[in-house]
Amino acid sequence: MSNLRVLIIGGVACGPKTASRLKRLCPDADITMIERDRLISYGACGLPYYVEGEFLNINALTHTQVGLPRTAEFFEKTKGFKVLARTEAIRINRSRKTVTVKALDTGVESDLPYDKLVIAAGGSAFRPPIPGIDLKNVWFMTHPEHARTLVEEIAAQGLKNAVMVGAGFIGMEMAEALMYKDMNVTMVEMFDHVLPGVMDQDLAAYVQLHLEDNDVDLALGERVVGLEGDGDGKVTAVKTDQRSISADCVVVAVGTRPNDELAREAGLFCDRGILINNNCQTSDPDIYAGGDCVLNRFINKTVAPPMYVPLGSTANKHGRTIANHIAGQQTPFPGINGTGVVKVFDYTVGRTGLTEAMAKKLGIAYESIVWGGPDRPHYMKNARYFLIKMLASKRDRKVLGVQVAGAGDGAKRLDVAAGTLYYGGTVEDLADIDLAYAPPFGPPIDPIAVCAHVLSNKMDGIARSISVYDAKERMDQGDVLLLDVREPDENKMLKMAYDKVVHIPLGSLRERLNELPRDKDIITFCKISLRGYEAQRILQAAGFDRVWFMEGGHEAWPFELDYLGM
C-alpha cells in the first residue's frame, strides 16, 4: 500500500469520504483528490435552510463543526491527502492508467497517474431547454453561491413574487424558505400532484392541502414553456402551457442528472448513471464510482431495477465501501430503499421503498392501506395527526414500501419501515418489532405497527377498505351510501359534502341495522376510520356484503368538507 496511487475525481461528498477513510486505513497510500470548484466538501442539502434563515453564516456549509474551513490545506494537514482545487478532469486514459486534468486558473493540462481511480463527479441540476432560462434572477439551488446570492438579491432588490419550478423535495424546502422571506410563492409542476415519483397521489393531495393552508399557490398539471424578461434582462414572468405567472424571482428544481460523461467517454458501462457492483467498482475493476453520478441497485433486486436517487447519505456510504475495498476490507454496499424525507412547513413527508404507482408499473401483485391517526396517545398535548401508507407483496407478504405525511412524527416510523425493507421483513415482522414505548413518544401499539396490523387484516379478508380517491369516484357516480359512525357532537361540527350520508353513532349501530339498505354499497367512516373499521365488521357480521370503510377517515379526505360549526 505504500506505493498505491489513488486518484479521486470530485470533492463534495463521496470523494472526501473515500479519501479520508482510505488514508486512515492505508496511511502510506498516495491519495490525490481533484475538484473543479474552489469550494470543497460542502453541505448542499442545507442550502434551503440558509435561505430560510435557520442559520445566518453560509460558511457553516463549508466549515467543520468547530469552524475550520475545509480547504486544500485543511485536508492535507488534517486528513493527510492532497487536494487540487480548480482542477478539472477532462479525460480518462484507461490503457495508460492516467487522467488528463486541466488547471482552470492557468489552462495548463497534465496527466496524473493512478493505480486505483474513484469517480465521484456528482450530479448537476437539470436545465430545461426553454427560452429565458438564462435571465437574471433565475436561480438553481445546488451550490452555496446560489443560496448566498439569492438571499442578497431578495434584500437588495426587494423581490416579492417567486415562482418555484418543480414540486420535488427541493421545491418543498424552497417554497417554505421563500415564504419565510415574506414572498408570494407559486409552485409550478407539470405532473398533476406534488412530489411526483416520490409520493402517490392520495398522500400528495394531503400535502397539497397543507401547502395551500400556508398560502403557497399551486399550478399543477402545467408545463413551463418559457421565461419572460424585461429590457434589463431580468425575469418578469413564467409562461406555462396554460397561462403567464408574474415573477421577479424564479427557482428551478426539476431534477438532477448524473455527471457520467467522463465514464461514458472512457467506455465504462452506464445507463442513467454509472453502473457499479456491490463494491462500487465500475466495469473496469480498477475504477470505482460513487455518489450522485451512479445508479444504485434496489435493496431487493428481484423486485425493482436499479434506480437513480441522488442523496448525500448514500454518497457517504459509497465512500466508505470504496475505501474499504481498496484497502482489502470488503464491505459490500447492498443497495438502497429509495428512502427520502422532507419537511413541508409543519409536516413530515417521506417515503421508503416502492410507491403504488411504481408497483403497478413493475407488475407486482400488492395490497395497500392508508392509516391515519395521532403519533402519540390522544391525551398527550403534543399529539399530532399524520398518515401512513403501506404496501406489501401478495405473494410473500413482504413490505414493499411506506409513505408518511402529516404533522406527526413520521420520520421515526419511516426509519423503522426502512429497516424492515432492508432485512426483507413481512407486515407481521414489522408489527412485531420491539419498539420503544412511553406516552411522550408514542402509543402502546405504535402507529407503524397499527398500520401493519390493518394491512395484514386486509390481506386476510378481515378488513375491507376503500381509498379516498375510489370513494370520491363512487360518490360522484351517486351509487353509494356513506355511513357516518361518529358521535353527534362530531357530526355537528363537520360533515361530508355529499347528500347520501346516514349518521348512526357506532354505539347505536347494532340496534339500528334495519335503517340501512342491504342492496346498496355502503362506505363507513369516522374521523380516522378506526370506528369505520369496527362498523364494517359489525355490518359484515350482520350479513351486509357490500360494505367497506374509508381509509384514513375524513382527516385523510383531500376534497370538500362542510365545517358547520366554524
Side-chain angles (χ1 to χ4, degrees), residues 190-211:
M190 65 182 294
F191 291 94
D192 62 359
H193 65 274
V194 301
L195 297 166
V198 178
M199 308 289 287
D200 285 319
Q201 188 178 31
D202 45 6
L203 264 68
Y206 187 66
V207 178
Q208 287 161 202
L209 289 176
H210 189 58
L211 288 166

Side-chain angles (χ1 to χ4, degrees), residues 397-417:
R397 302 176 77 93
K398 287 186 176 182
V399 178
L400 295 174
V402 169
Q403 299 165 54
V404 299
D409 185 0
K412 170 184 175 180
R413 281 77 191 188
L414 197 67
D415 286 342
V416 172

Side-chain angles (χ1 to χ4, degrees), residues 144-400:
E145 279 299 291
H146 299 160
R148 184 188 64 79
T149 57
L150 174 57
V151 170
E152 288 181 354
E153 295 306 319
I154 289 173
Q157 300 182 43
L159 303 178
K160 278 295 181 183
N161 297 311
V163 172
M164 187 71 236
V165 180
F169 277 3
I170 295 177
M172 297 295 111
E173 294 168 335
M174 285 304 302
E176 180 175 359
L178 295 172
M179 291 294 295
Y180 277 112
K181 290 293 181 183
D182 198 28
M183 300 185 74
N184 304 312
V185 178
T186 300
M187 182 176 290
V188 182
E189 172 56 57
M190 65 182 294
F191 291 94
D192 62 359
H193 65 274
V194 301
L195 297 166
V198 178
M199 308 289 287
D200 285 319
Q201 188 178 31
D202 45 6
L203 264 68
Y206 187 66
V207 178
Q208 287 161 202
L209 289 176
H210 189 58
L211 288 166
E212 292 171 344
D213 286 343
N214 283 277
D215 298 324
V216 177
D217 292 326
L218 299 178
L220 304 178
E222 298 188 32
R223 183 171 56 89
V224 174
V225 297
L227 307 181
E228 299 173 342
D230 60 16
D232 295 327
K234 295 181 179 179
V235 69
T236 58
V238 173
K239 187 177 180 182
T240 75
D241 55 0
Q242 300 179 31
R243 55 175 161 157
S244 180
I245 304 170
S246 178
D248 53 20
C249 169
V250 175
V251 179
V252 181
V254 290
T256 302
R257 299 296 184 270
N259 293 330
D260 59 2
E261 297 85 357
L262 274 174
R264 290 180 182 274
E265 292 169 1
L268 302 176
F269 294 167
C270 298
D271 188 356
R272 294 162 293 148
I274 305 171
L275 297 175
I276 56 174
N277 65 14
N278 285 358
N279 298 312
C280 294
Q281 290 171 297
T282 68
S283 51
D284 183 329
D286 287 328
I287 301 179
Y288 297 77
D292 292 358
C293 61
V294 309
L295 201 62
N296 287 285
R297 56 162 285 188
F298 189 66
I299 195 72
N300 184 345
K301 64 183 179 181
T302 64
V303 170
M307 57 179 64
Y308 182 66
V309 182
L311 284 173
S313 54
T314 303
N316 277 277
K317 293 173 188 174
H318 288 158
R320 184 179 178 88
T321 293
I322 293 169
N324 287 2
H325 193 261
I326 292 175
Q329 299 182 16
Q330 186 165 319
T331 52
F333 179 66
I336 63 173
N337 294 338
T339 307
V341 67
V342 64
K343 177 180 175 292
V344 184
F345 294 95
D346 297 325
Y347 277 15
T348 297
V349 180
R351 184 204 92 205
T352 186
L354 304 181
T355 64
E356 190 170 2
M358 294 167 68
K360 287 179 179 178
K361 186 175 180 180
L362 293 168
I364 298 172
Y366 69 92
E367 191 60 87
S368 69
I369 196 71
V370 173
W371 171 92
D375 61 346
R376 295 167 175 84
H378 67 277
Y379 52 78
M380 298 298 292
K381 64 182 180 181
N382 60 342
R384 298 292 183 268
Y385 181 87
F386 73 123
L387 300 179
I388 302 176
K389 181 172 184 176
M390 187 178 295
L391 279 71
S393 166
K394 286 186 175 181
R395 180 175 61 86
D396 54 18
R397 302 176 77 93
K398 287 186 176 182
V399 178
L400 295 174

Side-chain angles (χ1 to χ4, degrees), residues 439-468:
F441 305 102
I445 305 178
D446 193 84
I448 193 70
V450 175
C451 186
H453 285 153
V454 179
L455 181 54
S456 178
N457 286 338
K458 186 173 181 180
M459 298 178 80
D460 291 338
I462 299 170
R464 297 182 61 188
S465 67
I466 186 171
S467 73
V468 290

Side-chain angles (χ1 to χ4, degrees), residues 5 24 41 46 82 130 145 197 208 246 266 323 345 382 401 416 457 460 498 525 528 530 533 561 563:
R5 296 170 300 183
R24 289 191 288 270
S41 186
K82 185 186 300 182
I130 56 175
E145 279 299 291
Q208 287 161 202
S246 178
F345 294 95
N382 60 342
V416 172
N457 286 338
D460 291 338
Y498 185 61
F525 75 94
I528 61 175
L530 173 59
Y533 166 56
L561 290 167
Y563 292 91

